[in-house]
Amino acid sequence: MEPHEQTHSGDGGGGGDCSVSGFDSAEKVIIRWDATASEEAREKMIFNDPQEVKLYLNAVDEIQKFVSSGGEIENRANSAIQIAMARLEDEFRNILVSHSSPINSDSLMLSSSSSSQLEVDEDGSSSNNGNEEDETEEEETDLLKRSGSSASTGSAAVRLPTGRGSYSRSTSSIREIELIPIESVVHLSWIARRMVSAGYLRECIQVYGSVRKSAVDSSFRRLGIEKLSIGDVQRLNWEALEQKIRRWIRAAKICVRVVFASEKLLCEHVFESVGAVNIHEACFMETVKGPAIQLFNFAEAISISRRSPEKLFKILDLHDALIELLPDIESVFDLKSSDSIRVQAAEILSRLAEAARGILSEFENAVLREPSRVPVPGGTIHPLTRYVMNYISLISEYRPTLIDLIMSKPSRNSTDSNTPDFDFSELENNKGPLALHLIWIIVILQFNLEGKSKYYKNAALSHLFIMNNAHYIVQKIKGSPELREMIGDLYLRKLTGKFRQAATYYQRAAWVKVLYCLRDEGLHTKGSFSSGVSRSALRERFKSFNALFEEVHRVQSQWLVPDSQLREELKISILEKLSPAYRSFLGRFRSHIESGKHPENYIKISVEELETEVLDLFEGCSATQHLRRRSE
């Protein structure tokens, strides 16, 4: 219990003698605890003994009455006050240091419970305000589980929420927890009021801010937040940064909602009864301004770093985390002195949004200008196609964020022949800017692939390449509900028509010469149709067919259609044309060959063998594998 101050009349006579006697006693108490003059005073702490606390604070209050009384006693009072303030500063620091451990990680895992308000008056009495309200517990994907009650404050007492001796409180996503036990908070408040009253406000703030900032720094280290300058962050490789971003997002939520919020609450409880205007604001900013700047400098460094496509999704993660935290930042840093923190957070959010828009634009240009000219073997799916489609599938998963950020539709330079010609007008009525950008990326991807297809010397392989890539694009869209919804069925049908058209062009380029060998024209002798078949012409036709089919089979066995369903459909489509034509040709002309010499030199393959050979196509076999298969 802290003793109440006694009224000093200042009258002469017996009352004056009594006052001087009280001063003398108080001065002795102050001097007894002068650490510069007593070994015992250096080794012991006043606030470990409740009786000594009472005596010492009474003595300080008594001495304080004489600091402006004039004469010799005023000089003695001022000297005693200096000694007392030095002692109280040490006691203040000791209490703070004794409770400066970083926030226990278990505290971050526990859901808070509702609590009632308790007023702890300086005489040790308490009164329950019954200010209790329950809120629904809210669980988030990070470590924080939060619910609770809001605490009221008053000027006549040190108001401390209870709950098993705790003054933690929680409102919305902010979760304030106990940093220092209630009894120690009350002691700190008593000391602070006397230091401020004696003119030691600056020293009080410096000691408090120094010790509590060290505690915040310890919590930062426990959360994995490093002291990195903006330059340090920008020099890190991206793989290392990705890990740090993930850690920062989790840690930032805890820092704002638990660490900073709890420090602010502690400042309020320690200094609200001191009487000096805004002292709790000054102490709060002295404690957390440096750590807050350190925390947000990391996000700022990411927001102004060099833009590249691989950074988009982590930047969006940062943006989402910060926009979620912004109301909490505004709530915790709602003081005039903390304007700079709120402004920095808002500016970082704006820069992250701009960075995301810029990266999307640069990604589009990169897809359009991707320069590789070496054809992929076998006409398979180009690495660019896989990369782009995986990328835009991820973009679609960030749709809620990007819909708010991407506000303008894509634009093309109509005078640039190196960009595709595409009419958005039929899509603009029911597609937002983000969806149009995704469609535009697919358009420029196909435009680039068309250019790459020209590097194949074989026209059929060029068409097979387009077919494979267009089919892959369609399948990726169909495999992502979010992407399919954004692309829409109208454009999806166009893409489906694209790969079917390419499949048709492939079959024409690859098989028309083979099928041309199975025509009747040129096999009959001159004269009427019934005049007979030219055996020599027929032999040449069979030789041409065998040679062409063998070459097609040799070459196309090395080609690749990676999608098994598409591969089988393409083989069936080939056989639907080739198998009946060859069977009919054999039926009409086999006898003419077999009746002559060495028919095996001309009819080298049966219909069944031909079908088996076609089924070997598009497996990506090497030439050696092909020869081995033929010899088996």
Side-chain angles (χ1 to χ4, degrees), residues 78-94:
N78 286 329
S79 177
I81 282 295
Q82 289 181 7
I83 295 171
M85 291 303 107
R87 182 71 204 199
L88 287 180
E89 182 178 322
D90 289 342
E91 296 285 339
F92 195 68
R93 181 183 292 105
N94 182 68

Side-chain angles (χ1 to χ4, degrees), residues 296-499:
F296 292 122
N297 273 353
F298 178 84
E300 183 170 358
I302 299 298
S303 73
I304 61 177
S305 63
R306 185 181 64 84
R307 296 172 183 175
S308 56
E310 71 272 12
K311 295 181 180 180
L312 175 62
F313 304 107
K314 284 302 170 189
I315 282 177
L316 291 175
D317 287 341
L318 268 179
H319 178 276
D320 287 351
L322 197 54
I323 203 168
E324 178 189 342
L325 270 177
L326 202 58
D328 300 320
I329 293 170
E330 291 174 347
S331 175
V332 172
F333 296 97
D334 61 344
L335 311 172
K336 180 68 175 176
S337 56
S338 56
D339 282 349
S340 59
I341 304 297
R342 297 196 304 275
V343 169
Q344 183 185 19
E347 288 178 348
I348 292 170
L349 190 64
S350 177
R351 282 195 290 269
L352 288 170
E354 185 57 38
R357 286 189 285 267
I359 288 175
L360 184 62
S361 177
E362 291 181 17
F363 177 71
E364 292 171 357
N365 288 330
V367 173
L368 181 63
R369 311 296 179 191
E370 199 280 329
S372 62
R373 296 190 174 191
V374 179
V376 292
T380 189
I381 300 163
H382 198 282
L384 177 66
T385 307
R386 293 185 186 276
Y387 175 69
V388 170
M389 293 310 299
N390 287 332
Y391 196 88
I392 67 173
S393 294
L394 276 173
I395 286 177
S396 68
E397 294 179 11
Y398 285 83
R399 177 175 59 174
T401 299
L402 285 168
I403 281 178
D404 291 335
L405 299 185
I406 306 302
M407 296 170 285
S408 60
K409 67 180 184 179
S411 59
R412 64 173 296 275
N413 186 350
S414 58
T415 63
D416 186 357
S417 61
N418 292 320
T419 58
D421 185 17
F422 188 79
D423 183 9
F424 285 101
S425 58
E426 61 182 13
L427 299 173
E428 286 179 342
N429 291 334
N430 58 357
K431 294 295 176 189
L434 177 60
L436 292 176
H437 274 276
L438 296 186
I439 292 172
W440 177 240
I441 291 171
I442 294 173
V443 169
I444 58 181
L445 170 63
Q446 289 187 301
F447 182 78
N448 192 320
L449 294 172
E450 290 284 354
K452 295 183 188 306
S453 71
K454 294 178 172 61
Y455 296 118
Y456 289 103
K457 296 178 181 179
N458 188 311
L461 184 56
S462 174
H463 294 306
L464 190 79
F465 170 76
I466 293 298
M467 179 201 72
N468 276 329
N469 284 270
H471 181 267
Y472 181 82
I473 292 169
V474 169
Q475 293 306 110
K476 288 295 288 186
I477 294 172
K478 288 182 176 180
S480 169
E482 297 87 359
L483 185 57
R484 181 167 188 168
E485 182 180 348
M486 297 188 75
I487 297 298
D489 290 337
L490 176 62
Y491 187 64
L492 185 58
R493 284 195 293 271
K494 287 188 175 184
L495 290 172
T496 303
K498 180 77 174 178
F499 89 76

